[in-house]
Amino acid sequence: DIQMTQSPSTLSASVGDRVTITCRASQSISSWLAWYQQKPGKAPKLLIYKASSLESGVPSRFSGSGSGTEFTLTISSLQPDDFATYYCQHCHNYPYTFGQGTKLEIK
Amino acid sequence: QVQLVESGGGVVQPGRSLRLSCAASGFTFSSYGMHWVRQAPGKGLEWVAVISHDGSNKYYADSVKGRFTISRDISKNTVYLQMNSLRAEDTAVFYCAKDIAETTWGGASFDIWGQGTMVTVSS
């Protein structure tokens, strides 16, 4: 099975900051990677698919990049609504797996 | 609008069974693969199972293989998760989710999620 490792596990930042979250796959997954945002008590929300494609309705301050085994999610200018937990997920083959999550906290 | 609504969660004793349902609306249900994903209290997301758009292909996480069965009823626009031999470690919120792409097997993220249903396995 493909393992997904996110870093950091926790990130403290301020409104207006540029932040980057990294996700590494244990083997190449081409561009078959998605990023989700989850707020407490809510279902995850798709932000990015196929590593760099922005889901409809998602603000353009979110962007994704990478291919193969290393990927990043960047938020160009943090807004108050962005403080949440972020997960990467590979969809290269089954079983799909998620990263362990990155909690983005207010500094 | 496009919507998934889960039901069937509750408190169940170890070793017993439970069936979850996920009712879909607002899209052509028969064109999309469907998944179950779970989240234990305070923990991350765990993918559980998938069923292809036509029901011909299924795949399970090792942690549930042989105990859980995914199925779908196209006439009812509903996907199910039959959970047998439940264990304490199955305690989680269970979400159903829809493939972003039509008639694909693999290579698709999840664009629509339900609100989740809580399953608690405890004596």
Side-chain angles (χ1 to χ4, degrees), chain A residues 42-98:
Chain A
K42 300 295 187 181
K45 172 187 175 184
L46 178 65
L47 300 175
I48 302 286
Y49 62 96
K50 286 186 184 175
S52 60
S53 296
L54 191 68
E55 171 68 345
S56 175
V58 174
S60 59
R61 62 181 179 274
F62 291 92
S63 64
S65 65
S67 67
T69 61
E70 189 148 339
F71 303 85
T72 58
L73 173 70
T74 299
I75 310 172
S76 60
S77 179
L78 272 174
Q79 299 302 302
D81 191 49
D82 300 338
F83 292 95
T85 300
Y86 293 84
Y87 294 93
C88 64
Q89 175 213 24
H90 89 79
C91 42
H92 176 66
N93 56 10
Y94 294 117
Y96 289 178
T97 49
F98 291 88

Side-chain angles (χ1 to χ4, degrees), chain B residues 61-79:
Chain B
D62 285 347
S63 58
V64 306
K65 201 172 295 181
R67 300 188 300 125
F68 290 11
T69 302
I70 190 171
S71 61
R72 66 192 298 161
D73 185 335
I74 292 175
S75 69
K76 296 182 178 179
N77 281 6
T78 299
V79 62

Side-chain angles (χ1 to χ4, degrees), chain A residues 1 32 34 36 38 42-44 46 49-50 55 87 89 91-92 94-96 98 100, chain B residues 35 37 39 43-45 47 50 59 62 95 100 105-111 113-114:
Chain A
D1 297 358
W32 296 115
Y36 299 89
Q38 188 180 34
K42 300 295 187 181
L46 178 65
Y49 62 96
K50 286 186 184 175
E55 171 68 345
Y87 294 93
Q89 175 213 24
C91 42
H92 176 66
Y94 294 117
Y96 289 178
F98 291 88
Q100 79 278 17
Chain B
H35 302 255
V37 176
Q39 186 169 36
K43 302 297 185 183
L45 300 169
W47 177 85
V50 59
Y59 204 97
D62 285 347
Y95 297 100
I100 194 172
W105 179 248
S109 48
F110 310 152
D111 63 338
W113 296 64

Side-chain angles (χ1 to χ4, degrees), chain A residues 6-48:
Chain A
Q6 282 181 240
S7 60
S9 296
T10 307
L11 181 56
S12 296
S14 302
V15 173
D17 284 354
R18 179 185 179 91
V19 299
T20 297
I21 299 169
T22 298
C23 180
R24 289 185 174 87
S26 60
Q27 64 188 76
S28 177
I29 57 170
S30 184
S31 296
W32 296 115
L33 185 98
W35 290 97
Y36 299 89
Q37 176 193 68
Q38 188 180 34
K39 296 182 179 179
K42 300 295 187 181
K45 172 187 175 184
L46 178 65
L47 300 175
I48 302 286

Side-chain angles (χ1 to χ4, degrees), chain B residues 11-33:
Chain B
V11 180
V12 62
Q13 293 178 327
R16 303 299 291 264
S17 299
L18 205 60
R19 188 179 81 158
L20 306 182
S21 301
C22 170
S25 60
F27 64 98
T28 305
F29 180 69
S30 59
S31 294
Y32 294 88

